[in-house]
Amino acid sequence: MAESASKAAPGERVVIGITFGNSNSSIAHTVDDKAEVIANEDGDRQIPTILSYVDGDEYYGQQAKNFLVRNPKNTVAYFRDILGQDFKSVDPTHNHASAHPQEAGDNVVFTIKDKAEEDAEPSTLTVSEIATRYLRRLVGAASEYLGKKVTSAVITIPTNFTEKQKAALIAAAAAADLEVLQLISEPAAAVLAYDARPEATISDKIIVVADLGGSRSDVTVLASRSGMYTILATVHDYEYHGIALDKVLIDHFSKEFLKKNPGAKDPRENPRSLAKLRLEAESTKRALSRSTNASFSVESLIDGLDFASTINRLRYETIARTVFEGFNRLVESAVKKAGLDPLDVDEVIMSGGTSNTPRIAANFRYIFPESTRILAPSTDPSALNPSELQARGAALQASLIQEFETEDIEQSTHAAVTTMPHVTNAIGVVSVSESGEEKFVPIIAPETAVPARRTVHLDAPKEGGDVLVKVVEGSTHINVIKPEPKAKEDGETKEKTEDADDDGDFDDDDEEEEEEEEEEEKREKVWKIGSTLAEAAVRGVKKGAKVEVTINVNTDLTVIVTAREVGGKGGVRGTLSA
Amino acid sequence: MNATVVSLPLPTLPEGWAAEKDFKAIGKLTQEGSSMRTLEPVGPHFLAHARRVRHKRTFSEDDRIQAQAKAKKIEQDSDSDISEEEDPMLLARDAKDWKTQDHYKVLGLSKYRWRATEDQIKRAHRKKVLKHHPDKKAAAGRADDDNFFKCIQKAAEILLDPVKRRQFDSVDEEADIPPPTKKQLAKGNYYELWGKVFENEARFSKIQPVPGFGNENSTREEVEAFYNFWYNFDSWRSFEYLDEDVPDDNENRDQKRHMERKNANARKKKKAEDNARLRKLVEEAQAGDERIKRFRQEANAAKNKKRLEREAAERKAAEEARLKKEAEERARKEAEEKAKAEREAAKKAKEAAKNAVKKNKRVLRGSVKEANYFVEGEASAATIDAVLNDVDLVITKIDADEIAALAGKLNGLTVADEIKNVWKEEVSRLVGAGKLKEGDIKALVA
């Protein structure tokens, strides 16, 4: 009864989108089909995923985060990734500075003093109870903002969430009196946020979603085919993330502090000092994303000594180089894992708070060709706030399905609907380039889910008349235009001399050499015409008219080709059985 | 479906190319490696895909059905909700009888009634005006046919004025849903039938929203909240609308006041009647409500359970107390008996010891007699007396054990010297121990 009571009728739902992150969470809703991220009571749109208890009062978000300095034992942070996990698969690294996770049977628990009485026993709270309490606060903030009790939500999750983690999240939300309409993957939410903009055009493209968060980074390669998204590859990383950047700043400033105050203790070895450093490092990092200079100041860092300093962006980028390069490798490995080349990527969507760092986006610019759009605030003025993408996507999805019956949602997300065959090779027609060569014009891109239907309009020959429509398969390959042989020789001789000088440096030099070569190399993607599927004739095309070719691929991989003159009658239609 | 425009020309048809229906199938789609992949169930395009797959529609079918659905929706919005057949009887009504007129029916809103929104009323009014305006009738050759138009204007006047509309709604009997009969209840769902009645009555509540009647699964709190609400129902229903006309002439003031008083009383009476009616309704619903019976039973069961538990606990405590008492009693008795036995044994031992001492004393005294009081021949009375006195003195000086030991030594001896030696030894031992003084014993050791 209680469960059914919490489920509002489809027409009476008040829905929001929630990004429940390991470091930060966001809530969003839609106004007239436009997503808007909601600020909580403190005015935060990125709400730290932290709960803290002081004298029996519950704090969440930024307020709770500030208690990491004064009250770390009764503060729970970074618990999203623990939800629904066995203790043995929990990574407690980030929990070190707050309440520690403990094993209790099948559950992971935190021991927290959440009662006001002085002598009250600390409570043992399961991670799902913590999640429930946190979600309740998020929903409360959203309800207050909207003036209506929020009943349902779409929540984003990482692509590698297990069924158990999903179930735990749904249960935790249900306990917070929140109906989960759907769990959607974070990269899909980010893509949806971009695709739902009114100015967006839906085309077939390969998108890399780089979700660089506080405690983890996930890179996903998606094929977006007329607004439907298929994940081609994902990589997850727990080494390169926002906290790693914070750590670089902490180390930098700690060393500076020790230099300024000889004889002082290392602030990194005192938990309280370290907590202060962490908070300040994060805000300095954010400031460095916005401006080229930032200050770093902590009062009473250790033993009553104050510390204040400044850093400029260039210095920061130098000391954080290893982390930035880690992000580069991560993105490259994801593209490689998908069996693609950077040239195949049409768009890079940068998501997550760390994506605000200008250097990371600039580095990605070098990985991908000119034609690839890098959607980050520093590289593209039309980019959306990377921290808000997922919440927006979730809110949009929530508004799309809010009137669905629960059963409809279940059926629509059923594997029979989501799992579809995808075409391997591109399907297109042969056209003639200016130089008179045959050229492949893709109509259906590879990795398109079937059933699929695409239409193109092609020019007819200048003088009109009868036209041949030759439907072929196509594939891409990367043409590498080697640099001039002379340069290569130079490199070789150089290498040889270096080799003679010092054997130990040989490997490094080799790599450098390759990098240099790669810079000079010209790489381009070319279409190769594959096997012919069908030929058709459109007769009597007028001069200067266009020919419309529609290709339909059914679930059983039969192909239906329709060709006609635009505005003309009749036309040719033929079926290729699978 | 938008087409992509490519500005590259297609090749011209080669000479001699021919095929049936101008189409030649040559190859097949590469299936090798055509993989099953999972789409992300996100976004409007995926939902469209899901719709097509679930209903097994092709692209063009789905496009058509979506378009139709959209078109139908727009049409519904505009018209269908306020198109009702016009009753010829209604059209013939006299506008002067507006008090008895059903305003909703006049506007064609009889299925909405109090639920009709202001927008619906306005639209309905406009529609009726367009149809029944007297100028239109005049154009059709029927001049001065504005009777029904007046009805429409009156209806709109009342329904678009919130105060007047409430007055009319208060007495709109057409909107009432009569309580279900026993026959209906026997056949239908109790909660559904009564639920409808209360939902309808709820329109009179000053407090909104009104708790629903619920169903058989409602919790006790919900049911109690429902009945509490309805027993304290605060209704805005009033009966001004049924007032008799007050004569509007200044001549007969008394008559006018009389009518006003009469109307006020009638309103009060009707209001009281209505409250009573509602109360009866609630009582009736409550009387047949299985849920209340069930809650009572559950409460009773809970109470009984408590009582039984208490009684069992009491019995158990009494039993334990009794057992404890018995055990104590037994222990006390055992201790008493033991003490008694011990006392008796001690008494016996004491007596035995006493007897032994007596016997030994006799042996001691006998021994001197056996030795003929240590004199030759007949002993004189004085001698006997002296010897016996000494023996008695010795006996008083030694304890029972020593007496026994002495008796043991003397027992069986018949020769006077031996007996005398034993006595001498004893006396000297006693003297040595300081119990006797030399000279106290004379006759015995002489």
Side-chain angles (χ1 to χ4, degrees):
Chain A
M1 187 69 203
E3 205 189 322
S4 65
S6 73
K7 278 189 182 168
E12 288 159 12
R13 284 191 189 122
V14 179
V15 297
I16 53 168
I18 297 180
T19 301
F20 180 32
N22 205 27
S23 322
N24 289 291
S25 298
S26 290
I27 40 182
H29 74 129
T30 49
V31 193
D32 302 332
D33 294 338
K34 272 171 78 182
E36 223 171 65
V37 177
I38 299 171
N40 74 350
E41 302 86 339
D42 305 336
D44 291 329
R45 290 190 167 77
Q46 273 71 57
I47 306 162
T49 311
I50 302 179
L51 268 186
S52 185
Y53 290 89
V54 181
D55 299 333
D57 290 331
E58 186 183 76
Y59 297 89
Y60 83 112
Q62 191 58 46
Q63 294 187 33
K65 192 169 188 173
N66 294 336
F67 279 117
L68 282 172
V69 176
R70 285 197 284 127
N71 185 25
K73 284 210 161 54
N74 294 323
T75 302
V76 192
Y78 301 108
F79 54 85
R80 198 278 310 267
D81 277 358
I82 299 176
L83 187 64
Q85 296 263 50
D86 291 337
F87 188 73
K88 61 175 193 295
S89 43
V90 166
D91 171 16
T93 318
H94 301 304
N95 301 90
H96 187 74
S98 55
H100 294 191
Q102 294 152 340
E103 186 170 16
D106 288 343
N107 266 324
V108 180
V109 298
F110 293 92
T111 307
I112 299 291
K113 245 180 100 171
D114 64 346
K115 309 245 166 52
E117 294 83 38
E118 272 296 310
D119 49 349
E121 281 285 302
S123 315
T124 305
L125 301 172
T126 60
V127 66
S128 38
E129 171 66 22
I130 297 280
T132 299
R133 289 185 185 188
Y134 183 75
L135 286 172
R136 198 176 283 141
R137 296 302 297 263
L138 286 186
V139 170
S143 300
E144 206 158 282
Y145 180 88
L146 298 172
K148 280 179 280 189
K149 170 89 181 66
V150 170
T151 59
S152 320
V154 168
I155 304 182
T156 62
I157 50 166
T159 50
N160 63 345
F161 244 39
T162 61
E163 289 303 318
K164 209 176 146 204
Q165 281 172 294
K166 288 181 197 169
L169 178 54
I170 291 172
D177 206 12
L178 180 71
E179 179 196 11
V180 177
L181 293 179
Q182 195 187 351
L183 295 176
I184 63 174
S185 69
E186 288 169 352
V191 179
L192 181 61
Y194 271 107
D195 272 353
R197 292 184 304 170
E199 66 268 28
T201 50
I202 303 299
S203 56
D204 292 350
K205 53 197 171 188
I206 297 284
I207 302 175
V208 172
V209 180
D211 178 4
L212 313 177
S215 62
R216 57 184 286 173
S217 294
D218 305 277
V219 180
T220 309
V221 183
L222 289 144
S224 168
R225 299 288 179 243
S226 74
M228 292 203 277
Y229 317 124
T230 307
I231 291 184
L232 302 177
T234 58
V235 290
H236 307 285
D237 185 276
Y238 302 92
E239 299 296 322
Y240 300 108
H241 40 56
I243 291 174
L245 290 172
D246 295 345
K247 182 148 186 316
V248 165
L249 286 172
I250 290 172
D251 286 341
H252 170 77
F253 285 113
S254 295
K255 277 180 203 153
E256 198 176 317
F257 172 76
L258 290 173
K259 212 180 277 173
K260 271 189 189 169
N261 299 283
K265 285 190 204 133
D266 190 339
R268 284 169 291 178
E269 274 155 27
N270 178 321
R272 200 171 163 140
S273 306
L274 186 58
K276 285 182 182 175
L277 284 172
R278 278 209 184 94
L279 281 182
E280 186 62 15
E282 194 180 330
S283 68
T284 302
K285 179 183 71 177
R286 282 170 198 254
L288 281 171
S289 294
R290 291 190 300 269
S291 60
T292 50
N293 266 304
S295 68
F296 182 99
S297 72
V298 179
E299 273 182 27
S300 180
L301 178 56
I302 192 160
D303 299 334
L305 289 166
D306 294 351
F307 176 66
S309 179
T310 57
I311 187 168
N312 64 21
R313 196 186 273 172
L314 205 67
R315 180 105 184 94
Y316 166 58
E317 285 168 0
T318 317
I319 58 175
R321 205 179 67 123
T322 46
V323 183
F324 291 152
E325 282 174 358
F327 289 132
N328 291 352
R329 288 198 299 278
L330 205 60
V331 169
E332 283 168 333
S333 69
V335 175
K336 202 173 159 200
K337 197 174 166 191
L340 297 172
D341 190 273
L343 287 170
D344 290 320
V345 177
D346 302 294
E347 224 170 76
V348 179
I349 292 179
M350 299 198 48
S351 166
T354 307
S355 294
N356 285 306
T357 312
R359 184 80 237 163
I360 300 176
N363 283 346
F364 288 177
R365 183 73 275 169
Y366 292 123
I367 298 175
F368 296 102
E370 289 278 304
S371 56
T372 307
R373 284 185 79 192
I374 310 273
L375 291 164
S378 59
T379 51
D380 195 325
S382 71
L384 298 168
N385 183 348
S387 315
E388 294 181 355
L389 286 179
Q390 296 169 5
R392 281 166 183 263
L396 290 163
Q397 178 69 5
S399 76
L400 288 173
I401 60 172
Q402 70 170 330
E403 304 218 326
F404 278 39
E405 298 284 346
T406 319
E407 200 184 318
D408 278 345
I409 299 173
E410 266 168 29
Q411 282 183 12
S412 298
T413 55
H414 191 269
V417 176
T418 58
T419 308
M420 283 288 148
H422 287 58
V423 296
T424 323
N425 292 327
I427 303 170
V429 291
V430 175
S431 69
V432 187
S433 72
E434 285 134 25
S435 54
E437 287 166 27
E438 285 196 331
K439 211 172 168 202
F440 179 78
V441 176
I443 296 177
I444 292 186
E447 300 303 348
T448 300
V450 296
R453 180 181 60 171
R454 296 286 187 282
T455 306
V456 285
H457 288 181
L458 290 133
D459 284 347
K462 268 184 193 139
E463 60 279 10
D466 296 350
V467 171
L468 173 71
V469 178
K470 191 172 171 192
V471 181
V472 294
E473 282 192 313
S475 57
T476 58
H477 79 124
I478 307 296
N479 240 356
V480 182
I481 300 161
K482 294 271 179 198
E484 301 200 345
K486 198 186 160 202
K488 206 177 177 184
E489 260 177 19
D490 275 356
E492 269 169 10
T493 48
K494 196 176 154 202
E495 192 183 297
K496 272 173 196 160
T497 49
E498 293 260 346
D499 195 16
D501 283 351
D502 193 350
D503 271 354
D505 273 347
F506 178 77
D507 286 347
D508 292 343
D509 282 345
D510 201 24
E511 268 173 34
E512 264 175 42
E513 220 57 57
E514 268 177 19
E515 269 171 36
E516 270 175 36
E517 266 177 34
E518 222 147 35
E519 273 172 19
E520 288 171 27
E521 252 176 28
K522 266 200 169 171
R523 310 174 78 240
E524 58 176 10
K525 191 168 92 166
V526 284
W527 283 103
K528 228 169 64 182
I529 297 172
S531 57
T532 310
L533 295 177
E535 285 178 348
V538 182
R539 294 185 190 271
V541 180
K542 285 189 210 84
K543 203 174 162 186
K546 278 185 176 289
V547 176
E548 181 187 85
V549 181
T550 300
I551 296 184
N552 230 323
V553 184
N554 285 338
T555 320
D556 56 1
L557 294 173
T558 52
V559 183
I560 300 162
V561 181
T562 319
R564 65 186 174 100
E565 190 187 334
V566 176
K569 279 182 200 160
V572 208
R573 186 186 161 90
T575 307
L576 275 176
S577 56
Chain B
M1 187 74 200
N2 293 329
T4 323
V5 178
V6 178
S7 57
L8 276 177
L10 286 165
T12 44
L13 199 66
E15 290 287 322
W17 191 94
E20 194 185 334
K21 286 184 183 169
D22 282 347
F23 184 84
K24 218 194 275 182
I26 296 167
K28 275 185 182 182
L29 205 61
T30 316
Q31 293 203 17
E32 165 197 11
S34 81
S35 41
M36 296 298 272
R37 284 186 188 271
T38 304
L39 289 165
E40 288 301 302
V42 168
H45 299 277
F46 172 79
L47 292 174
H49 160 78
R51 194 173 58 227
R52 288 190 298 264
V53 173
R54 281 172 55 204
H55 301 299
K56 299 199 170 54
R57 293 181 195 155
T58 64
F59 283 96
S60 38
E61 269 172 10
D62 189 59
D63 286 350
R64 199 188 64 233
I65 290 166
Q66 284 299 304
Q68 275 177 353
K70 228 177 197 172
K72 215 187 266 168
K73 219 170 165 184
I74 292 159
E75 200 172 296
Q76 261 177 358
D77 277 347
S78 59
D79 236 4
S80 63
D81 55 343
I82 36 177
S83 56
E84 277 182 9
E85 289 283 312
E86 282 169 344
D87 185 356
M89 289 284 283
L90 195 69
L91 293 176
R93 274 194 73 95
D94 190 346
K96 279 181 193 142
D97 293 338
W98 64 269
K99 275 247 164 180
T100 57
Q101 154 183 320
D102 182 346
H103 304 301
Y104 289 113
K105 203 168 176 187
V106 167
L107 292 186
L109 291 167
S110 57
K111 68 176 171 188
Y112 292 96
R113 300 207 166 266
W114 55 274
R115 289 184 190 82
T117 61
E118 196 180 338
D119 179 55
Q120 277 175 324
I121 294 168
K122 278 181 184 160
R123 277 193 288 128
H125 177 225
R126 181 159 177 73
K127 205 176 156 198
K128 292 287 174 192
V129 167
L130 289 180
K131 189 170 174 191
H132 294 284
H133 197 276
D135 289 357
K136 283 198 173 169
K137 303 222 161 142
R142 285 180 289 155
D144 295 333
D145 184 6
D146 61 351
N147 203 19
F148 189 62
F149 184 71
K150 279 181 183 157
C151 291
I152 294 166
Q153 295 302 75
K154 195 73 196 176
E157 180 198 323
I158 286 170
L159 295 185
L160 288 174
D161 178 335
V163 177
K164 285 185 183 164
R165 187 173 173 198
R166 275 205 161 180
Q167 289 177 359
F168 174 69
D169 280 342
S170 290
V171 299
D172 183 8
E173 283 174 3
E174 293 292 322
D176 285 347
I177 296 177
T181 60
K182 279 195 178 128
K183 225 182 201 171
Q184 283 172 324
L185 285 174
K187 265 190 270 172
N189 180 334
Y190 188 88
Y191 305 104
E192 214 169 90
L193 289 170
W194 274 110
K196 263 187 227 155
V197 174
F198 282 109
E199 201 188 324
N200 197 44
E201 291 290 336
R203 70 186 193 269
F204 296 123
S205 177
K206 280 184 191 165
I207 304 161
Q208 295 288 356
V210 177
F213 193 56
N215 55 28
E216 60 274 17
N217 295 325
S218 302
T219 63
R220 187 178 177 152
E221 286 75 32
E222 284 167 347
V223 174
E224 275 171 2
F226 172 82
Y227 283 112
N228 280 340
F229 182 90
W230 282 94
Y231 277 125
N232 299 316
F233 194 78
D234 192 2
S235 163
W236 51 255
R237 197 172 187 183
S238 63
F239 296 89
E240 295 99 324
Y241 198 83
L242 300 179
D243 282 356
E244 277 178 54
D245 282 339
V246 178
D248 194 20
D249 47 5
N250 296 333
E251 283 160 28
N252 204 339
R253 231 167 29 177
D254 286 344
Q255 170 73 5
K256 190 178 165 190
R257 290 198 180 147
H258 169 70
M259 285 306 291
E260 274 171 357
R261 259 201 309 279
K262 210 173 138 188
N263 278 336
N265 284 337
R267 278 184 214 169
K268 244 186 237 164
K269 198 178 157 208
K270 280 179 189 135
K271 180 84 181 167
E273 277 171 6
D274 184 57
N275 285 343
R277 176 192 66 86
L278 191 66
R279 198 169 176 87
K280 193 166 154 265
L281 210 64
V282 179
E283 274 166 4
E284 219 173 291
Q286 197 181 20
D289 196 336
E290 292 292 334
R291 293 175 301 186
I292 292 182
K293 283 177 201 156
R294 199 181 72 225
F295 294 144
R296 205 174 290 144
Q297 277 166 6
E298 281 169 4
N300 276 343
K303 217 163 63 193
N304 283 342
K305 201 176 153 211
K306 250 186 223 158
R307 190 167 52 85
L308 288 174
E309 270 170 9
R310 205 180 53 233
E311 279 175 6
E314 274 172 7
R315 259 205 306 284
K316 204 177 161 201
E319 180 73 14
E320 269 171 9
R322 191 178 63 79
L323 286 175
K324 201 175 160 199
K325 214 170 160 190
E326 273 178 9
E328 275 172 2
E329 187 78 2
R330 219 173 17 251
R332 197 172 55 78
K333 263 187 194 156
E334 273 170 14
E336 262 175 19
E337 272 166 19
K338 204 175 156 197
K340 202 175 163 190
E342 270 170 10
R343 261 201 315 278
E344 275 169 7
K347 208 170 160 189
K348 263 185 201 156
K350 220 168 157 188
E351 264 169 24
K354 231 188 207 166
N355 286 343
V357 169
K358 256 185 205 163
K359 200 177 149 204
N360 289 338
K361 280 180 184 168
R362 256 202 314 278
V363 170
L364 297 187
R365 284 194 197 104
S367 71
V368 287
K369 195 182 170 191
E370 190 78 24
N372 200 19
Y373 305 107
F374 312 126
V375 287
E376 303 287 321
E378 199 72 23
S380 71
T383 314
I384 295 166
D385 211 29
V387 171
L388 285 177
N389 273 343
D390 281 356
V391 168
D392 284 346
L393 189 62
V394 170
I395 287 169
T396 57
K397 293 296 176 188
I398 59 178
D399 62 21
D401 289 345
E402 283 163 331
I403 291 171
L406 191 56
K409 283 179 194 166
L410 291 171
N411 216 4
L413 295 180
T414 46
V415 183
D417 283 349
E418 284 172 4
I419 294 168
K420 195 166 184 176
N421 279 341
V422 171
W423 278 108
K424 269 184 186 164
E425 269 172 38
E426 182 66 21
V427 168
S428 63
R429 187 181 69 85
L430 288 171
V431 169
K435 283 185 184 168
L436 279 175
K437 275 177 206 146
E438 197 109 25
D440 277 356
I441 306 295
K442 284 175 197 124
L444 203 57
V445 294

